[in-house]
Amino acid sequence: MLIFERRAFLVSFFLVKEPQLPTFENVFVKYCNGVIETGLKHPKTVACTAQNIDTFILFSSIMDEDERVRFIGRNYEAITKDTLSAMRTGSIPVRKFITTLFGKSDAVTIVKEQFIKKVPQAIVGANRISIVDEYWRLIRKDEDIPLRYKDRFREEKIAASHEIESNNSSEKKVYEAFCLFLADVFVFAMYGDRLVENEIALHPVVSKVLADLRDGKRMFLYTLLDEMFGAIMTGEPEGDNYELKSVNESEFSNDDYRTVAFELLKYTDSLGETHRKVLHAIRMFAVNLDQKRAIEIGGMEAADALYKHYGFSQKDYSLLSVDPNVVNAEFDIVLQDGKPAKVVVKRREDGTTDIQVIGKE
C-alpha cells in the first residue's frame, strides 16, 4: 500500500513524508533548460519557468483538445499563475479533475505523446540523461513504490539511457523511450496510490480486520496475527526463538503479508508484548519476500527503502554473501549492533538452503 499526501500540485511519490527530497515537478523544473512550445499562435514559445512548465507541459499532458478547452480554456485562461502556485503549495486543494484524468486506462500513452511534442525542446543536451538518472535514483530510494513498478521503471530507464546515447551520434533523433520513462513516472506520481490499491486482492479476513481497525475494532485482529504467524514458522518456537519459512505456503497471499506488515506498523505500540513479537516476525517475513529482488533491481538503496517501508533500519539487518556451491558451512560474523553470531548454512537435497543465525551471547 502507498501513502500519498495530495497537498500540493503534482505531488509525487518521492518520499513525500521527507520534504527535503524533491517531487516530480521539482526535478522536472530543475532540468528544463530549453524553451516550451505552447501550441498557441501567440506566444509560440515561452521560457521554462515553473508556471509555464505546469501550464503547458505537465498540467495539460493528460488532456485531449476537448478536455483542455473545457477545463482550462482555449488559451489556458482558466488557470492563472496564482491558482497554480496555490495548488502547488497546498493553499487550495488540487482540482479533482486533474487526478481523475490520470486514472484513464491509457494515461501513460496519452502523456507520452504529449511529452514527445514538447519535452525534447524543453530538456536539451546533457540534462536529458541527468533527469533520467535523478528520477531513477529517487525511485530506488522511495520506500513506498512496489518492486514490480521499480522493475518496470528500471527497464524503461535503461531503454531511455540507450536512446539518449544513440541520439548523441545520430542525425535522426528519437524520443520514444525517453518520453515513455518520464510519462510513466509522472502518471505514477499522480495516480500510483490508486493503481496499486486496485491491483491488490486481499484475503477476506485480512480486509475485514483492516476495515475493523479503521473503525477502532479489534475482534479478529489477534486471531489473524496468530494464524499468519503460525503459517510462516518452521516447527514450534522455542521461547523467543523461531525459524521462518523461506517461501509462503499458506492460505494468505504474499500481498496479505505485505499489507498486514505495513498497515499494522502504526498500531505496534498498542499491541501486547506477545503480538508485538508476532507482528515483528510478520514484518521480517514480508521483507524476506522481496529483499533479494529489491537488491537485484536497485541495489542496496532499494533494499534500504524496503527495510524502511516495514519499519526497520539498516541496523536490523546484516547481509552475508554465500557461494551458491556451498553445501554445509559455518561462518563467524559480527552483527551491526556489535554482537558476535554464527551463521550455519545447510543445503537440502531438493536444492533449497537453510540459513540459521545463532547468537553467541
Side-chain angles (χ1 to χ4, degrees):
M1 301 289 288
L2 302 181
I3 291 182
F4 281 72
E5 296 182 46
R6 297 206 173 273
R7 296 174 301 179
F9 181 52
L10 305 182
V11 87
S12 87
F13 49 82
F14 295 142
L15 293 178
V16 177
K17 297 181 291 300
E18 296 186 15
Q20 70 271 22
L21 290 177
T23 64
F24 182 97
E25 184 200 24
N26 295 149
V27 175
F28 203 91
V29 169
K30 174 182 175 182
Y31 288 101
C32 278
N33 61 334
V35 297
I36 299 172
E37 296 187 0
T38 64
L40 304 175
K41 289 185 178 180
H42 302 289
K44 290 185 177 181
T45 61
V46 292
C48 287
T49 64
Q51 178 197 350
N52 288 336
I53 290 166
D54 283 345
T55 303
F56 295 108
I57 299 182
L58 299 180
F59 181 68
S60 56
S61 65
I62 192 60
M63 303 176 191
D64 60 29
E65 182 61 19
D66 290 339
E67 289 167 337
R68 186 177 69 79
V69 171
R70 176 156 45 104
F71 289 124
I72 59 179
R74 190 169 301 281
N75 293 313
Y76 300 87
E77 66 272 8
I79 298 297
T80 67
K81 177 179 179 180
D82 291 338
T83 302
L84 288 170
S85 177
M87 285 194 290
R88 192 184 301 116
T89 60
S91 300
I92 64 172
V94 177
R95 297 292 189 258
K96 286 186 179 179
F97 71 84
I98 298 175
T99 47
T100 299
L101 288 171
F102 282 90
K104 296 176 181 178
S105 60
D106 57 346
V108 174
T109 299
I110 294 171
V111 173
K112 185 195 79 170
E113 293 304 317
Q114 293 300 318
F115 276 8
I116 286 175
K117 296 176 183 178
K118 297 182 179 182
V119 170
Q121 294 77 35
I123 303 176
V124 300
N127 276 19
R128 290 174 183 160
I129 195 66
S130 295
I131 193 173
V132 169
D133 287 343
E134 180 153 353
Y135 277 137
W136 175 235
R137 179 181 64 82
L138 293 170
I139 288 167
R140 291 201 310 269
K141 295 174 66 174
D142 193 308
E143 63 188 89
D144 292 330
I145 302 178
L147 287 178
R148 58 184 176 276
Y149 282 94
K150 287 188 178 183
D151 201 9
R152 189 172 84 195
F153 293 144
R154 181 187 64 165
E155 294 301 316
E156 291 172 352
K157 182 265 180 188
I158 292 171
S161 298
H162 287 168
E163 183 182 79
I164 292 168
E165 184 178 350
S166 297
N167 281 344
N168 290 336
S169 58
S170 174
E171 292 185 6
K172 185 178 180 181
K173 311 299 183 185
V174 180
Y175 302 103
E176 288 284 330
F178 176 51
C179 289
L180 173 60
F181 173 71
L182 295 180
D184 203 6
V185 172
F186 182 42
V187 171
F188 190 85
M190 292 300 299
Y191 204 76
D193 53 346
R194 299 184 194 180
L195 287 173
V196 174
E197 208 171 86
N198 293 338
E199 292 173 1
I200 296 177
L202 299 178
H203 191 288
V205 175
V206 172
S207 296
K208 171 65 175 172
V209 167
L210 294 178
D212 283 349
L213 270 173
R214 288 189 285 271
D215 292 333
K217 304 173 186 176
R218 301 195 176 195
M219 186 177 301
F220 302 106
L221 172 62
Y222 302 110
T223 300
L224 173 66
L225 289 175
D226 290 339
E227 288 184 5
M228 296 185 81
F229 178 52
I232 57 177
M233 274 196 309
T234 299
E236 293 295 325
E238 299 179 5
D240 289 337
N241 297 319
Y242 51 82
E243 182 181 349
L244 298 178
K245 294 179 180 178
S246 57
V247 295
N248 181 13
E249 301 169 330
S250 74
E251 63 177 304
F252 300 104
S253 69
N254 288 350
D255 277 339
D256 287 324
Y257 279 100
R258 294 182 181 110
T259 303
V260 168
F262 176 72
E263 291 290 337
L264 264 63
L265 260 178
K266 54 183 171 286
Y267 299 100
T268 302
D269 291 341
S270 65
L271 299 176
E273 182 180 357
T274 297
H275 285 97
R276 280 200 299 270
K277 293 177 180 178
V278 167
L279 178 58
H280 184 274
I282 291 173
R283 288 162 50 213
M284 288 178 61
F285 185 73
V287 169
N288 291 341
L289 289 172
D290 296 321
Q291 180 175 247
K292 180 180 177 182
R293 188 65 181 137
I295 294 172
E296 291 173 348
I297 292 171
M300 284 310 303
E301 284 185 319
D304 290 342
L306 181 68
Y307 305 151
K308 187 174 182 180
H309 181 72
Y310 293 111
F312 295 113
S313 68
Q314 288 180 322
K315 293 181 179 179
D316 296 309
Y317 279 85
S318 294
L319 298 183
L320 175 69
S321 297
V322 179
D323 189 315
N325 297 315
V326 170
V327 177
N328 294 298
E330 292 186 5
F331 302 89
D332 290 320
I333 64 171
V334 177
L335 302 177
Q336 289 186 349
D337 61 4
K339 295 180 180 179
K342 179 172 67 175
V343 178
V344 180
V345 180
K346 294 183 179 180
R347 183 81 56 165
R348 294 193 184 120
E349 291 183 1
D350 62 4
T352 60
T353 302
D354 280 332
I355 300 179
Q356 292 181 304
V357 180
I358 304 171
K360 291 186 174 182
E361 292 184 355

